[in-house]
Structure formats: C-alpha cells, structure tokens
Amino acid sequence: MELTKEFYAAAENHFDSERANTVAMNAVMNNGLKKSAIVDQTVRNQPHTYSISLKQGNITAQKQSGRCWMFAALNVMRFDIIHSLNLETFELSQSYPLFYDKLEKSNYFLESILQTLDEPTNGRLISYLLQSPVGDGGQWDMFANLVRKYGVVPKDAMPESVNSSATREMCSVLTEKLRTYACQLRTAYANGSSMEELQSKKADMMDEVYHILVICLGKPPKTFDFAVRTKDDKYITDKQITPQEFFAKYVGWNLDDYVSLINAPTADKPYHKSYSVKFLGNVVEGKIVRYLNLPADMLKEAAIAQLKDGKPVWFGCDVGKCSSREGGIMDLNTYDLESLLNVEFPMTKAERLDYGNSQMTHAMVFQGVDLDENEKPVRWRVENSWGKDAGKDGYYVMSDDWFTEYNYQVLINKKYLPAECIAEYEAEPTMLEPWDPMGSLAQMQ
C-alpha cells in the first residue's frame, strides 16, 4: 500500500472527527505521554503497607551504572550481615565485583572469539558477540561465580569511584579494545597463526585490560581490616581478612543452595524444564547460567515461603513497563494509554517475549508482601537501588498482576522448593540461542 494524499486526507478527517483526539493531543504535547495517562486511582489503590515486611538498612544507589544485578544480590547478602551483627545499616562494596566482572567478561569474550574463529564475521553469532562484549548487565549465576572466586568486601574496603558510579566512558574504551582484539585474533587466525600463538596474544591483551581497569577503578584489596559498631554499641573487628574469608564468615551462604526460577510462557520453553543460554557468562571456568521454567504462581509461592522465613528475594523484571518512579508504582493500571491514544495493546506475556516487546531489564529485591485472608499475594514490597528519591524512600510497590505479566525471575533457596523442582532444575539443560530473551542481562539505570 502506498501512502497517498488520499490516505493522509482520510486519516486527518478520522482524527478530527472525535473531539477527544484534540484534547489528548494538547495534553500529550504539553505534558508527555505518561504524565497525561497516569491513573490517580491506581496510586491510591497501592499503599506501601504489607502483612510481611522485612527490615533493611539504608537504601543504595547504583547511579549511572547498569549494576542493578550486583546491587540486588549484595542487598540480599547485606541483609544477613545487618541482622546477624545487629547493625543499623551496612553496605558491601559494589565496585569490588564490578572490577572482576569487567576483567572476567573480557576474558570470556576473547575465549568466545577463539571458539568461533571459523564463523563468518558478518554472521549472526559474531555480530551478537561483538554487540556488547563488556556491558554492565548480568544474571544471578554470573554474580555467584564472581563471589565463589573473589568473595565480597565491605564498601569502605573498595569505595565507589567516578568510573564505578558512571561506567559509560570506561565501558566504551573497553569495548573498543575488545573489538580490536577480536579483529586481531581473527585476522591472525586467517593468516595461519596456531591456537597456541593466539592464546599468547590473548594473554597480552588481558594484561592490557587489567591495566585499564586498575587505572579506572583502583586495585581490589587482597586483605583488609573489618570494623563495625553494633546498635547496642558493641565493637566488632577482624584484622587482615581476605574477601573470601569475609564472605564465608559474615555472609556464610552456600551459593549452590540458590536456584533461579523463571517464568517464560512461550511455546519453545515447556514448564518444569531446565534451560541455559549459549555464550552467556563471565567466569570461563565458572558454573553455567541455569534456570528452571515454572508457572508464575509457583514463583510467587516460593518467594512467599522465603519471605515468611524472614529472607529477602532477588528478582529480575521488566521495570520500564507500567511503572512510575514518582511514588514507586508497578501496576498494570498505572497508565491508561489505551484510552488516551484510543488504541489497544493486546499482546500476552508470551507474545511480548517472542516479539521483542519485553524481557528482563532490571534486578531488585522483594522485602515484603501483602497477603489476603486466603494467603494469596495482593502486592509486593520492592527494594530498589536507584537511591532514596526514586519511589517512596527508595521502595516500590508492585501489584500481584504486574508480577504475573512482567516479573521473569526469582532467586530461591532450595529448601523452599519441592524435591521434584530441584530435580528438574538439576537435569541437563536445554541450550537456548545467545539472543534468546531469557539471556537478557539486568542493567537498567
């Protein structure tokens, strides 16, 4: 169909035939789509009150970085430290895992390039690998691999810097270097270099990456002195402790006890099956990213069981959909764009995944839930990492319907799952293509 003068005349007449269209045009042009479409009653219907509400420390801020997955994981871990040591508040360093994630991702990328030397440069796989070799985003299993290898440290042992709080410049430089390295390795291979020679070149490249990261972020501590004062004024100190020792002593998790449950209701991913994603990871020798796909109600049941036991829940969602930073509302009725624009948005969750209209973009923490008289969830208390000025003092309220439509992943300790789910999770995973929506990385700023 050609867009002719007749088309434009008919479209204009159709628009002008309804007075509400002109009212909507004036409102949107002056206020923007979302402000014009916000539903006041939805804000009133979602109070920040819950039947189960956990007590966390001060809200954290990832600033201009895509480290939400790290912040969320560290917020869950610091919760245990705060309560076990009786602290008012406490933070773990977010700069420390960032350093090693960039280093390990660089190595993972170059190893992936060496594994795909016979792939065409303009093919989909190489194009995908080159797209974002060292972005800020990540998945829970990637964070767990970093902790297994490097431990964690208090924030004052490796504080924030300009480049950890605003990562764009550093990532841009690293990305250019890694793409250059990929070009050099593939060119050398085409010219007859052996794998041994390529690995030697890669070692020199990784030395340069380390050099860049130290200049940008500083050197991570090998040991440090830990000191805090409790709410009852007790002084606790630990001299010259390593990051691995600190994690074992003060967090004390068995990382293998935690399972990623996802809800992806697409035809290609049957429920009660284990999945992984090709070329998704950071630590080459680490464990693969793995999920168990379950119906949304089973994710909710597991999360509620963990919250009832006094433990927060890491989760990944599509935070930009039907949500408002002002007041921290995540509700399917936050905006009425259908009435404002006189259009419909009828896609299902599965269709949104299949057609690229939704995926996991952000990781946060459930710190509570409101249950009705039948023990069914009504709304969820969400700890974000965008500082105290986003939402209500840094917290969001999520309706249960929003959970169903836009929440994709929860991290659950195995003890809150039935034995059959654990067996399903541990079964040989189906390998998804690198560009599958379940391979998306949480990195929303």
Side-chain angles (χ1 to χ4, degrees):
M1 167 184 160
E2 180 184 353
L3 297 182
T4 63
K5 290 181 180 179
E6 290 76 16
F7 162 81
Y8 287 110
E12 184 176 10
N13 288 333
H14 184 214
F15 182 89
D16 292 341
S17 67
E18 294 189 37
R19 186 174 64 175
N21 291 335
T22 300
V23 174
M25 177 184 70
N26 291 332
V28 172
M29 287 183 65
N30 285 283
N31 300 291
L33 274 169
K34 287 192 172 181
K35 281 190 176 180
S36 300
I38 196 160
V39 179
D40 181 67
Q41 191 60 45
T42 299
V43 178
R44 300 183 187 187
N45 290 343
Q46 293 295 356
H48 288 257
T49 53
Y50 311 87
S51 55
I52 298 172
S53 185
L54 307 185
K55 176 69 174 176
Q56 175 66 299
N58 295 340
I59 208 74
T60 58
Q62 66 189 81
K63 299 184 179 178
Q64 286 76 50
S65 73
R67 296 174 291 164
C68 58
W69 57 295
M70 292 181 175
F71 270 74
L74 292 168
N75 282 337
V76 174
M77 290 180 176
R78 77 180 176 120
F79 180 91
D80 284 355
I81 295 174
I82 289 170
H83 288 269
S84 64
L85 297 184
N86 191 31
L87 305 178
E88 190 67 40
T89 191
F90 181 77
E91 272 192 64
L92 291 163
S93 170
Q94 301 94 359
S95 183
Y96 180 79
L98 176 69
F99 180 97
Y100 286 115
D101 182 59
K102 296 300 185 192
L103 191 66
E104 292 284 356
K105 274 180 181 166
S106 297
N107 187 55
Y108 192 96
F109 168 76
L110 293 177
E111 284 295 322
S112 298
I113 292 298
L114 292 178
Q115 291 174 35
T116 56
L117 291 169
D118 292 320
E119 292 283 335
T121 304
N122 63 351
R124 186 173 188 181
L125 179 55
I126 298 301
S127 296
Y128 179 84
L129 293 176
L130 293 172
Q131 182 178 329
S132 181
V134 70
D136 282 355
Q139 292 265 2
W140 159 256
D141 286 304
M142 295 164 67
F143 183 80
N145 281 333
L146 294 173
V147 175
R148 287 188 185 95
K149 190 169 182 178
Y150 300 108
V152 297
V153 304
K155 190 161 188 172
D156 57 10
M158 190 169 179
E160 288 290 285
S161 66
V162 168
N163 294 300
S164 64
S165 296
T167 56
R168 181 175 297 177
E169 290 181 358
M170 177 180 66
C171 288
S172 177
V173 170
L174 287 171
T175 296
E176 183 170 352
K177 285 302 299 181
L178 289 170
R179 288 171 178 162
T180 301
Y181 296 152
C183 175
Q184 291 170 344
L185 290 172
R186 289 174 64 83
T187 300
Y189 175 73
N191 291 335
S193 292
S194 67
M195 186 58 68
E196 184 179 1
E197 290 170 329
L198 295 177
Q199 284 287 358
S200 178
K201 289 179 183 291
K202 197 204 88 169
D204 293 336
M205 294 170 179
M206 286 304 303
D207 182 72
E208 283 191 345
V209 172
Y210 174 84
H211 179 88
I212 293 169
L213 286 171
V214 170
I215 289 175
C216 291
L217 299 172
K219 289 184 180 179
K222 297 176 182 175
T223 61
F224 58 92
D225 292 342
F226 172 57
V228 291
R229 192 170 289 278
T230 68
K231 286 192 287 187
D232 55 4
D233 208 32
K234 180 182 177 183
Y235 182 65
I236 298 172
T237 185
D238 222 330
K239 302 293 186 181
Q240 291 301 292
I241 189 171
T242 69
Q244 294 87 345
E245 290 168 344
F246 181 84
F247 173 76
K249 183 173 182 179
Y250 292 100
V251 180
W253 287 15
N254 179 357
L255 293 167
D256 293 336
D257 285 343
Y258 288 85
V259 171
S260 286
L261 307 180
I262 61 169
N263 175 242
T266 51
D268 64 329
K269 298 181 188 71
Y271 287 145
H272 298 282
K273 300 289 184 183
S274 177
Y275 298 91
S276 186
V277 181
K278 301 173 187 175
F279 295 101
L280 178 63
N282 53 355
V283 179
V284 169
E285 73 277 17
K287 295 193 174 185
I288 63 170
V289 171
R290 184 192 294 256
Y291 323 106
L292 174 63
N293 193 21
L294 294 174
D297 284 347
M298 294 191 71
L299 270 65
K300 296 175 186 180
E301 290 169 6
I304 290 169
Q306 191 159 307
L307 287 167
K308 281 185 172 181
D309 201 25
K311 300 296 183 182
V313 178
W314 183 104
F315 73 94
C317 67
D318 192 354
V319 72
K321 297 290 194 294
C322 305
S323 68
S324 170
R325 287 198 184 206
E326 190 172 331
I329 305 296
M330 304 165 78
D331 189 295
L332 299 184
N333 298 312
T334 301
Y335 306 103
D336 188 6
L337 287 167
E338 293 190 345
S339 294
L340 179 68
L341 299 174
N342 196 22
V343 297
E344 294 182 349
F345 299 98
M347 294 177 83
T348 65
K349 188 174 188 178
E351 290 168 341
R352 289 192 293 268
L353 285 170
D354 283 339
Y355 286 86
N357 196 50
S358 184
Q359 61 182 15
M360 184 181 75
T361 60
H362 190 51
M364 296 181 282
V365 179
F366 286 131
Q367 289 284 3
V369 62
D370 192 53
L371 303 176
D372 66 15
E373 62 277 8
N374 297 314
E375 293 290 289
K376 296 298 182 182
V378 176
R379 56 184 171 268
W380 301 77
R381 183 174 186 245
V382 176
E383 177 191 8
N384 203 352
S385 55
W386 290 345
K388 62 182 180 63
D389 294 330
K392 184 178 180 181
D393 300 323
Y395 282 86
Y396 279 52
V397 55
M398 177 195 296
S399 74
D400 190 60
D401 287 342
W402 196 99
F403 185 124
T404 301
E405 293 297 322
Y406 293 112
N407 199 38
Y408 290 108
Q409 185 176 0
V410 294
L411 182 73
I412 301 296
N413 191 300
K414 290 179 180 178
K415 65 183 178 181
Y416 304 111
L417 296 175
E420 55 268 28
C421 284
I422 298 171
E424 290 163 355
Y425 171 83
E426 293 174 347
E428 187 67 24
T430 298
M431 299 301 296
L432 305 173
E433 295 299 330
W435 40 84
D436 190 275
M438 287 300 106
S440 63
L441 301 180
Q443 56 186 333
M444 194 78 171
Q445 298 180 19

